[in-house]
């Protein structure tokens, strides 16, 4: 049996047995649904359901590979014509996906092959370092580290931005693990549903710290001195000042490590030493808001600019911008299965977020890894991809594997490799 048929049957059996666990999202009847079948990579969208029972029937009878619903609300979600759909507003959606930003662990587990010259390597590459061409085949993987980074971003989004700056009620935020490399957050609040795309962009600019002007915040050169900003103003200047204070509270060695990080601050040894020597004075200036004179040997406006930009990158949230701006986007339906992993798109209540551990979750109802067998049945499969990186799931290490290798692994891990398309059944 071709593997897609096999996986489809597994998904179908899952949906049959677990219908009651598929949540019904808010204002269900006004949502547009979209599905990608196992047979071809095309999304069937403009589908509406009059009740969640019909959606569950769809899962069982059609068993899609991927399932999505709209952030938008429509009078006629099934209408193909956007202008006749009767747009009624859109939830504010955030997507945090490590596909879109750098994490150090990718150097260990993300693989690429150049289709032009055959070069291969590890890490996150846009083009081949040997021949410069962009035709790369990429194998992106997951581990606890990158999923933790994504989780930290979503926590920052909630507690450092949505609540303090936008006064959004945490009970109106619906959080979900995407089933693969990230998290979604949906704000279901009538006040945000009327936001235009431009207004959504402004919110995103604020949350990412993009286009922030230090000059407007107060950074300026005057009579040979450089003046910084104070914490009196709310928003970004306060966030930056808090972050500087946090940095200054660290030991000299820690500061040196942070400031010399090539991917972030990347300051020269001289500048780092000057900064450390200035540490105690700088703390006083900031603490007492004392004339904000940040003049520091070697730190030109440019150097401050570089320093502050690195701070902003730490403070801001790595959201996937188009998802939040585009009101026609569909996002994965909670409780559905992700066709590239076999994991469940897992809704998480905010109180559970801190301890949530997608690859080894101990609370059964929060566990996205659903294809566990009680009898711990293992399954024989053959690796079809050139290389499969080492993977830790449920506390157990698997791999690395090479093409042609025949392995016997627990059911959930076999399903994961089959869904990832790096193995076949034998
Ligand atoms: Zn190449
Ligand atoms: Zn990782």
């Amino acid at each position: 049996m071709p593997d897609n048929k096999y996986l489809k049957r597994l998904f179908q059996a899952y949906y049959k047995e677990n219908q009651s666990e598929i949540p019904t999202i808010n204002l269900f009847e006004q949502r547009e649904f979209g599905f990608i079948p196992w047979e071809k990579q095309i999304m069937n969208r403009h589908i509406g359901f009059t009740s969640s029972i019909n959606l569950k029937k769809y899962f069982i009878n059609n068993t899609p590979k991927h399932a999505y619903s709209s952030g938008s609300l429509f009078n006629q979600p099934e209408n193909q014509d956007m202008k006749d759909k009767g747009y009624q507003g859109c939830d504010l959606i955030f997507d945090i996906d490590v596909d879109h930003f750098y994490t150090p662990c990718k150097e260990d587990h993300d693989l690429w092959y150049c289709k032009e010259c055959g070069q291969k390597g590890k890490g996150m590459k846009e083009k081949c370092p040997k021949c410069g061409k962009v035709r790369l085949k990429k194998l992106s993987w997951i581990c606890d580290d990158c999923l933790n980074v994504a989780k930290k971003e979503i926590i920052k989004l909630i507690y450092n931005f949505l609540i303090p700056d936008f006064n959004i009620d945490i009970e109106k935020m619906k959080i979900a693990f995407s089933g693969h490399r990230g998290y979604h957050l949906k704000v279901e609040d009538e006040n945000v549903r009327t936001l235009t795309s431009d207004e959504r962009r402004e919110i995103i600019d604020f949350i990412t710290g993009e286009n922030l002007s230090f000059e407007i915040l107060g950074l300026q050169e005057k009579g040979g001195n450089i003046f910084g900003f104070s914490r009196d103003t709310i928003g970004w200047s306060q966030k930056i000042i808090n972050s500087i204070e946090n940095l200054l509270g660290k030991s000299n060695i820690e500061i040196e490590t942070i400031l010399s990080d090539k991917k972030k601050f990347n300051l020269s040894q001289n500048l780092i030493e000057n900064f450390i020597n200035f540490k105690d004075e700088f703390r006083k200036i900031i603490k007492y808001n004392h004339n904000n004179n940040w003049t520091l040997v070697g730190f030109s406006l440019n150097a401050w600019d570089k320093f502050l930009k690195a701070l902003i990158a730490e403070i801001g949230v790595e959201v996937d911008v188009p998802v939040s701006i585009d009101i026609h986007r569909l996002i994965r339906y909670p409780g559905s299965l992700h066709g590239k992993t076999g994991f469940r798109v897992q809704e998480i209540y905010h109180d559970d977020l801190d301890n949530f551990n997608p690859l080894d979750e101990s609370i059964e109802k929060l566990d996205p890894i659903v294809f566990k067998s009680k009898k711990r049945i293992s399954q024989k499969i053959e690796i079809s991809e050139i290389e499969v990186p080492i993977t830790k799931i449920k506390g157990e290490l698997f791999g690395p594997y090479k093409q042609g290798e025949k392995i016997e692994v627990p059911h959930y891990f076999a399903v994961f490799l089959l869904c990832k398309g790096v193995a076949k059944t034998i």
Side-chain angles (χ1 to χ4, degrees):
M1 182 166 38
D3 289 341
N4 269 355
K5 260 192 184 163
Y6 167 71
L7 290 171
K8 186 173 175 175
R9 279 201 194 168
L10 275 184
F11 275 37
Q12 185 177 41
Y14 171 81
Y15 285 128
K16 261 185 199 160
E17 275 169 40
N18 298 280
Q19 294 176 52
S20 61
E21 281 170 47
I22 297 170
T24 303
I25 59 167
N26 180 259
L27 301 170
F28 180 89
E29 298 81 5
Q30 295 181 59
R31 306 283 178 178
E32 176 194 348
F33 286 77
F35 303 98
I36 298 177
W38 287 92
E39 294 75 17
K40 52 180 191 284
Q41 257 303 317
I42 289 176
M43 189 192 281
N44 301 317
R45 57 185 297 179
H46 308 297
I47 298 171
F49 293 101
T50 48
S51 80
S52 68
I53 295 165
N54 293 339
L55 171 67
K56 290 169 186 181
K57 278 187 190 153
Y58 187 95
F59 277 129
I60 294 166
N61 297 332
N62 298 63
T63 316
K65 186 176 180 184
H66 302 283
Y68 308 84
S69 67
S70 62
S72 292
L73 304 163
F74 302 102
N75 287 336
Q76 292 177 42
E78 68 290 346
N79 202 310
Q80 305 264 344
D81 200 328
M82 271 300 167
K83 66 179 191 308
D84 295 331
K85 253 179 148 58
Y87 176 76
Q88 299 293 309
C90 181
D91 294 330
L92 183 56
I93 296 170
F94 298 95
D95 179 22
I96 288 170
D97 192 315
V98 289
D99 260 346
H100 300 287
F101 58 93
Y102 175 84
T103 60
C105 56
K106 289 182 179 179
E107 308 291 345
D108 296 323
H109 63 57
D110 276 15
L111 310 174
W112 57 267
Y113 310 93
C114 177
K115 290 181 181 175
E116 302 281 344
C117 75
Q119 185 78 5
K120 60 175 187 168
K122 288 180 169 181
M124 198 183 179
K125 291 273 184 297
E126 290 305 316
K127 57 182 185 183
C128 173
K130 192 177 171 203
C131 74
K133 300 275 169 54
V134 292
R135 283 188 61 220
L136 297 184
K137 178 181 192 290
K138 294 178 195 167
L139 182 64
S140 49
W141 217 248
I142 42 172
C143 77
D144 291 334
D145 291 345
C146 44
L147 290 178
N148 250 328
V149 170
K151 192 172 88 172
K152 280 195 187 132
E153 291 297 303
I154 206 95
I155 290 173
K156 263 161 58 178
L157 172 67
I158 299 169
Y159 296 99
N160 298 355
F161 289 92
L162 295 182
I163 294 176
D165 294 309
F166 296 96
N167 200 17
I168 292 173
D169 178 358
I170 196 161
E171 299 301 332
K172 291 183 173 171
M173 301 179 202
K174 291 283 182 295
I175 308 154
F177 168 59
S178 74
H180 196 196
R181 309 234 289 171
Y183 290 83
H184 301 146
L185 188 148
K186 197 155 69 145
V187 180
E188 295 178 342
D189 182 334
E190 51 279 13
N191 293 321
V192 307
R193 285 192 175 125
T194 51
L195 293 170
T196 63
S197 279
D198 285 344
E199 288 164 334
R200 286 166 205 258
R201 177 175 284 281
E202 273 178 43
I203 292 173
I204 293 302
D205 275 354
F206 185 83
I207 286 170
T208 55
E210 203 80 8
N211 308 322
L212 205 63
S213 158
F214 300 131
E215 218 183 324
I216 290 175
L217 293 183
L219 186 73
Q220 55 173 317
E221 195 167 2
K222 226 168 35 192
N225 286 319
I226 288 181
F227 294 90
F229 30 94
S230 71
R231 73 165 93 241
D232 293 345
T233 30
I234 51 155
W236 267 97
S237 59
Q238 196 177 58
K239 289 179 202 294
I240 293 170
I241 294 283
N242 289 345
S243 164
I244 294 176
E245 257 189 335
N246 186 293
L247 179 69
L248 293 172
K250 293 184 191 295
S251 74
N252 289 357
I253 294 171
E254 282 175 301
I255 294 178
E256 190 175 341
T257 312
I258 293 169
L259 295 186
S260 55
D261 185 341
K262 291 268 174 296
K263 294 257 180 228
K264 290 172 186 161
F265 290 86
N266 196 17
L267 293 180
S268 71
Q269 197 55 39
N270 261 348
L271 285 187
I272 294 172
E273 273 167 33
N274 294 348
F275 186 87
I276 289 173
N277 290 334
F278 183 52
K279 189 172 115 175
D280 293 334
E281 202 187 326
F282 200 12
R283 279 178 97 166
K284 275 188 225 147
I285 292 171
I286 283 184
K287 188 168 179 197
Y288 301 111
N289 242 340
H290 185 58
N291 75 20
N292 302 321
N293 190 338
W294 291 10
T295 311
L296 165 56
V297 183
F299 267 69
S300 60
L301 265 187
N302 266 343
W304 278 113
D305 202 69
K306 192 171 164 190
F307 171 81
L308 293 170
K309 277 196 175 125
L311 279 184
I312 286 172
E314 295 276 290
I315 304 166
V317 186
E318 295 273 9
V319 296
D320 186 9
V321 177
V323 174
S324 299
I325 295 170
D326 182 358
I327 53 170
H328 300 302
R329 282 284 175 126
L330 304 181
I331 58 161
R332 287 187 183 276
Y333 195 82
S336 68
L337 298 177
H338 193 305
K340 274 189 176 165
T341 55
F343 298 163
R344 176 166 59 197
V345 180
Q346 182 65 53
E347 270 196 327
I348 313 149
Y349 188 58
H350 58 82
D351 274 349
D352 294 321
L353 192 56
D354 251 346
N355 293 322
F356 177 67
N357 183 1
L359 298 183
D360 193 12
E361 176 55 45
S362 52
I363 301 171
E364 183 60 32
K365 68 174 175 41
L366 293 180
D367 190 356
I369 301 174
V370 294
F371 291 110
K372 296 176 301 259
S373 54
K374 289 186 190 75
K375 282 173 275 172
R376 207 192 139 81
I377 299 165
S378 57
Q379 194 172 354
K380 279 196 185 118
I381 51 172
E382 183 183 329
I383 300 298
S384 55
E385 180 68 48
I386 303 172
E387 227 177 288
V388 171
I390 194 163
T391 316
K392 191 176 162 201
I393 296 192
K394 294 268 158 223
E396 207 173 329
L397 283 173
F398 301 99
Y401 302 116
K402 291 251 179 296
Q403 197 165 39
E405 220 174 303
K406 293 186 174 68
I407 57 173
E408 198 170 338
V409 292
H411 184 49
Y412 64 83
F413 190 61
V415 173
F416 172 72
L417 293 184
L418 293 170
C419 283
K420 285 291 273 181
V422 299
K424 56 189 185 194
T425 51
I426 42 176

